Amino acid sequence: MSKVKNPYLPEMATVQEIIQETHNIKTFRVTLNNEERMKAFSFKPGQVGQLSVFGVGESTFVINSSPTRMDYLQFSVMQAGEVTTRLHTLQPGDQIGVRAPLGNWFPYEDMKGKDVVIVGGGIGMAPLRTLLLYMLDNRDDYGKITVIYGARSPQDLTYSYEFEEWRSAPNMNLVLTVDAEAPGWEHKVGLIPNILLEENPSAENTVAITCGPPIMIKFTLQALKKLGFEDENIYTTLEKRMKCGVGLCGRCNIGTSYVCIDGPVYSFAQLRKLPNEL
Amino acid sequence: MAKYLKNDDLGQWLSELGADYKVYAPVQEGDSIAFRPFSKGKALRIDRHATVGPKEILFPACEELLRFSYQKDEENPGRENIQVQVEENATPTLIFGSRPCDARGFDVFDGAFTQCSVKDSYYIARREQAAVVSIACTRTENTCFCNWVGGAPDGTNGSDVLLTPIQEGFVAESITEKGEALLAGSNLLAEATPEQEKEAKALRAAAHESLPEAPDFECMPEQLYGLFDNMDFWEKQSAKCISCGACTYLCPTCHCFNITDERQGNEGERLRTWDNCMSRQFTQEASGHNPRSEKAYRLKNRVGHKFCYFPELHKGHIACVGCGRCIKSCPVSLDIRQVVTSAKECRLPAEDNDNE
Ligand SMILES: Cc1cc2nc3c(=O)[nH]c(=O)nc-3n(C[C@H](O)[C@H](O)[C@H](O)COP(=O)(O)OP(=O)(O)OC[C@H]3O[C@@H](n4cnc5c(N)ncnc54)[C@H](O)[C@@H]3O)c2cc1C
Ligand code: SF4
Ligand code: SF4
Ligand code: FES
């Protein structure tokens, strides 16, 4: 019999805690049932996992907790279709399957010694959160951190219970924005790319990372270019449709690049070299 | 050393092999010829290409990846525990009567599923236990173009034994050690005479001659990248396509799959099934965005994968074996030969210096 590891076999995990983030996003904190495995589990900021609801299916979500805080693995799930809707009905104690970590990660090593600009929109904040927490837990390794995070309305911002922690970190600028004025909202109002231009972060020795809906990424990229960022120093994560997550099912390619194993994190310099099929 | 097997002994030989292997061979089934488990006395159809190739023997159209069951937790009745099981059921399997193009299809599968960072344990378990006995084509069909894509009517890649049909029998050559053992294991095979070998050689040479001259596809990756944004070209090429997927299902190299769950009561299974990149849903994303919303994009990816991306990732191997099945079975007669030769002949605009 073949000795090759079965790449489709999930590990069993238990949902420990559920946080209702917004009307359609829930955050799940899960631990692997095998304590040894949970202790030995390691991943890098930006890597993803496949969550299984047996009988419904499997879907891809970024591990948005930080490798520096390993009490649980955290996934934030926006309700979209079958699997995500079923995930939203889970209760603490329920069992799910996890295949993780999968895919590549943010260049958090190469970013050391540099300033970092993070631009997130909506659920796109999930992959950025893991990187942000990692940097906050290794604060001396990185320069100034600017986070621009926007959503449609104040109620659509995820992780709001953490903003105080983020904001109070040294040399950190957290800018929140929503699309339209709202009662009690004391932060910015306006589209993310405009707020980014207003903040006007320096491109010098700085890496920019953006994640969000395709249209937001498009205009954020234009704004970053205007600010003088080079393609090599701008990163994003792609959300292609995936199934296997391990480079075998053939679903997620852009030319020769398989987003599930070669991505989901790409620099714009890398994306430019790939066929134009985002 | 080549061997010889009489036509009359073929059934007997397969029965002998049946002691160690589950034997599959091409038989007539309604309008089509397909590979089915062999049993003594079953009439074989090896006089022409099978309508459906042997791909599904090593890569079933639908297979169980795992099985799960839900049970109430004894201590906490509000809670359910889940058992997950994987059944390993690969058995020694012999594929008889594949053509050299079909066997080369397994080479492409080997590349896609075994020569990559994460390997497909299910395919590997079957592949390791499989033996492939192919029949060289002495008569080619007008949809055959194996010689365009690196193959030949008597190509040996992917096979363990190659048989050449001659008058009243087959000249049998082993390609691998596994094949050698297959030929050594039976008294039905005699040493081939020099005349028999000569006859086989002449028939094989004639088959080579009968194929159209092969275009040089070395330039294909460059051409296809160059044509990537030329949607006029792809719209024209795909105009007739109805996205039915027949081409992908019948293709000996197409290996994309879907994964879905089935649940009946408290148990169920996770299945993997062949998938079809020519369908719109294949790349539909949750945000509503779809990078291949039109058939032109999908044909571009299918041809691009076979003639550009796969070769770039796998030492130049084109992921089309020239079997012609997609040409024969396409309801609207879309001909991949015509697509690739048009792509090859397209004059690309002078390098726009935007990229690098
Ligand atoms: C690398 C990566 C990271 C992701 N991270 C997150 C995350 O952290 N949080 C989050 O909420 N979502 C994330 N997603 C998106 C998430 O995977 C999909 O929303 C989810 O798979 C939809 O599953 P479903 O069964 O609910 O939808 P389905 O019922 O399958 O379909 C609903 C819609 O979603 C589309 N769809 C199905 N599967 C996918 C898929 N894998 N990717 C994109 N679209 C799909 C369908 O075509 C359909 O349009 C990520 C996707 C990728 C590829
Ligand atoms: S068989 Fe023909 S019509 Fe059907 S998807 Fe393939 S090219 Fe299109
Ligand atoms: S693309 Fe067509 S000719 Fe080529 S291997 Fe597949 S079915 Fe055969
Ligand atoms: S998700 Fe299967 S190949 Fe990428």
Side-chain angles (χ1 to χ4, degrees):
Chain A
M1 278 289 150
S2 169
K3 291 287 172 298
V4 177
K5 189 170 172 273
N6 184 337
Y8 308 108
L9 187 62
E11 296 179 65
M12 293 311 298
T14 302
V15 176
Q16 300 295 353
E17 199 183 334
I18 300 171
I19 302 166
Q20 181 88 43
E21 299 276 2
T22 72
H23 76 282
N24 64 352
I25 300 174
K26 280 189 181 181
T27 287
F28 298 86
R29 295 179 168 167
V30 309
T31 51
L32 301 179
N33 292 356
N34 181 330
E35 282 173 31
E36 296 291 304
R37 281 281 305 146
M38 187 65 207
K39 248 186 235 149
F41 192 91
S42 72
F43 71 100
K44 302 196 168 84
Q47 287 193 290
V48 304
Q50 292 270 357
L51 299 188
S52 280
V53 186
F54 295 95
V56 185
E58 235 180 352
S59 272
T60 319
F61 305 95
V62 67
I63 310 171
N64 72 58
S65 45
S66 167
T68 49
R69 308 179 186 188
M70 283 302 294
D71 297 337
Y72 49 77
L73 302 175
Q74 177 168 312
F75 302 89
S76 298
V77 176
M78 187 167 89
Q79 198 176 344
E82 275 189 68
V83 176
T84 50
T85 299
R86 183 67 181 81
L87 281 168
H88 271 231
T89 67
L90 292 180
Q91 299 297 322
D94 282 347
Q95 304 290 297
I96 57 171
V98 177
R99 287 194 291 139
L102 303 170
N104 74 349
W105 48 86
F106 293 112
Y108 65 102
E109 293 284 355
D110 297 341
M111 286 160 54
K112 287 187 176 159
K114 297 185 179 166
D115 291 350
V116 179
V117 175
I118 282 177
V119 188
I123 185 72
M125 198 58 209
L128 303 174
R129 175 186 186 262
T130 167
L131 180 67
L132 177 62
L133 293 186
Y134 180 87
M135 292 192 296
L136 295 185
D137 289 346
N138 293 278
R139 193 65 199 88
D140 296 343
D141 290 344
Y142 301 91
K144 178 170 184 179
I145 301 175
T146 305
V147 175
I148 297 171
Y149 176 28
R152 206 166 293 159
S153 74
Q155 292 75 39
D156 289 312
L157 289 165
T158 48
Y159 318 123
S160 47
Y161 45 89
E162 268 179 15
F163 292 163
E164 259 334 292
E165 182 199 336
W166 300 0
R167 197 177 278 126
S168 61
N171 204 8
M172 158 95 187
N173 179 21
L174 173 65
V175 184
L176 301 172
T177 182
V178 293
D179 287 0
E181 297 281 358
W185 180 248
E186 290 162 1
H187 305 277
K188 305 269 180 189
V189 175
L191 296 179
I192 293 165
N194 299 341
I195 304 295
L196 170 63
L197 287 173
E198 209 177 287
E199 288 296 315
N200 194 19
S202 161
E204 183 156 344
N205 195 34
T206 306
V207 172
I209 300 177
T210 178
C211 189
I215 186 80
M216 175 216 119
I217 295 196
K218 186 171 160 207
F219 288 107
T220 300
L221 181 64
Q222 286 174 10
L224 287 168
K225 303 289 282 186
K226 230 182 244 174
L227 295 170
F229 283 83
E230 300 287 348
D231 285 346
E232 292 74 39
N233 295 324
I234 309 174
Y235 289 83
T236 190
T237 78
L238 296 184
E239 193 202 306
K240 287 269 162 191
R241 179 139 192 205
M242 291 182 183
K243 275 291 168 184
C244 71
V246 290
L248 293 168
C249 77
R251 190 176 291 265
C252 67
N253 76 303
I254 307 173
T256 55
S257 193
Y258 285 78
V259 175
C260 64
I261 47 173
D262 303 322
V265 177
Y266 292 85
S267 73
F268 276 94
Q270 288 170 319
L271 289 182
R272 259 179 175 285
K273 292 209 181 103
L274 292 178
N276 175 24
E277 194 178 58
L278 297 183
Chain B
M1 204 40 93
K3 301 261 180 149
Y4 176 73
L5 176 74
K6 288 206 291 279
N7 275 344
D8 289 345
D9 288 340
L10 177 59
Q12 180 60 28
W13 187 47
L14 293 181
S15 299
E16 282 180 22
L17 292 171
D20 295 327
Y21 291 95
K22 177 154 195 192
V23 177
Y24 287 84
V27 296
Q28 185 81 40
E29 226 182 49
D31 288 341
S32 47
I33 302 174
F35 286 76
R36 295 289 174 255
F38 172 79
S39 55
K40 205 168 174 178
K42 212 167 194 175
L44 301 183
R45 279 303 303 272
I46 50 174
D47 52 318
R48 48 172 303 179
H49 290 193
T51 327
V52 189
K55 145 168 116 172
E56 63 184 323
I57 301 167
L58 298 190
F59 181 59
C62 177
E63 77 177 296
E64 182 183 299
L65 291 178
L66 54 85
R67 176 174 278 284
F68 54 84
S69 59
Y70 283 80
Q71 293 111 17
K72 278 216 183 317
D73 191 315
E74 308 233 314
E75 279 152 37
N76 190 345
R79 196 165 288 177
E80 284 181 313
N81 291 324
I82 303 166
Q83 290 287 326
V84 173
Q85 270 182 342
V86 176
E87 215 169 290
E88 299 207 11
N89 53 8
T91 51
T93 299
L94 186 133
I95 297 169
F96 176 83
S98 45
R99 296 290 168 172
C101 53
D102 294 331
R104 260 185 104 224
F106 293 133
D107 259 10
V108 173
F109 267 81
D110 290 348
F113 284 168
T114 75
Q115 291 144 22
C116 42
S117 57
V118 177
K119 301 178 193 340
D120 193 286
S121 52
Y122 296 78
Y123 174 77
I124 290 175
R126 281 198 207 91
R127 182 67 164 124
E128 279 174 349
Q129 300 208 57
V132 180
V133 177
S134 297
I135 301 178
C137 299
T138 49
R139 259 191 337 203
T140 58
E141 299 182 9
N142 63 7
T143 44
C144 291
F145 62 105
C146 55
N147 60 327
W148 294 20
V149 288
D154 57 351
T156 57
N157 286 12
S159 300
D160 296 297
V161 169
L162 184 69
L163 304 179
T164 307
I166 59 169
Q167 288 278 319
E168 281 157 27
F170 300 90
V171 169
E173 285 154 279
S174 59
I175 314 299
T176 62
E177 269 177 35
K178 201 183 262 177
E180 207 163 310
L182 289 177
L183 295 185
S186 173
N187 296 328
L188 298 169
L189 289 130
E191 206 123 294
T193 64
E195 291 71 37
Q196 287 166 334
E197 287 196 54
K198 207 168 139 205
E199 186 188 345
K201 214 169 151 194
L203 284 165
R204 283 157 61 159
H208 276 250
E209 287 299 310
S210 71
L211 288 168
E213 195 185 331
D216 184 359
F217 281 146
E218 193 89 21
C219 61
M220 280 314 279
E222 202 185 324
Q223 287 293 115
L224 288 168
Y225 281 131
L227 281 169
F228 199 90
D229 293 322
N230 183 344
M231 289 316 292
D232 283 349
F233 175 85
W234 293 107
E235 270 157 30
K236 208 151 129 205
Q237 296 301 329
S238 64
K240 294 188 289 185
C241 175
I242 54 169
S243 306
C244 69
C247 51
T248 58
Y249 297 133
L250 291 172
C251 178
T253 70
C254 275
H255 50 268
C256 289
F257 58 85
N258 197 358
I259 302 176
T260 51
D261 283 11
E262 298 277 340
R263 182 172 175 176
Q264 311 87 27
N266 284 330
E267 44 186 46
E269 53 278 330
R270 177 157 295 168
L271 303 174
R272 109 151 123 201
T273 44
W274 291 356
D275 209 346
N276 164 27
C277 64
M278 301 296 270
S279 97
R280 191 174 191 286
Q281 280 69 32
F282 194 73
T283 49
Q284 179 66 55
E285 292 168 21
S287 60
H289 176 65
N290 187 345
R292 296 183 205 135
S293 52
E294 304 299 327
K295 60 191 180 180
Y297 296 98
R298 303 194 286 269
L299 181 69
K300 175 171 73 174
N301 184 66
R302 180 161 194 270
V303 173
H305 182 253
K306 293 193 185 305
F307 286 84
C308 174
Y309 316 143
F310 190 91
E312 292 218 321
L313 293 171
H314 297 276
K315 302 182 192 133
H317 281 242
I318 293 174
C320 161
V321 294
C323 70
R325 282 199 182 89
C326 59
I327 305 168
K328 276 194 277 194
S329 300
C330 176
V332 296
S333 304
L334 204 147
D335 188 333
I336 193 166
R337 290 172 301 188
Q338 196 252 311
V339 179
V340 287
T341 44
S342 304
K344 178 179 149 66
E345 279 151 23
C346 245
R347 284 263 291 284
L348 299 179
E351 193 77 9
D352 73 28
N353 31 30
D354 198 32
N355 283 359
E356 278 146 292

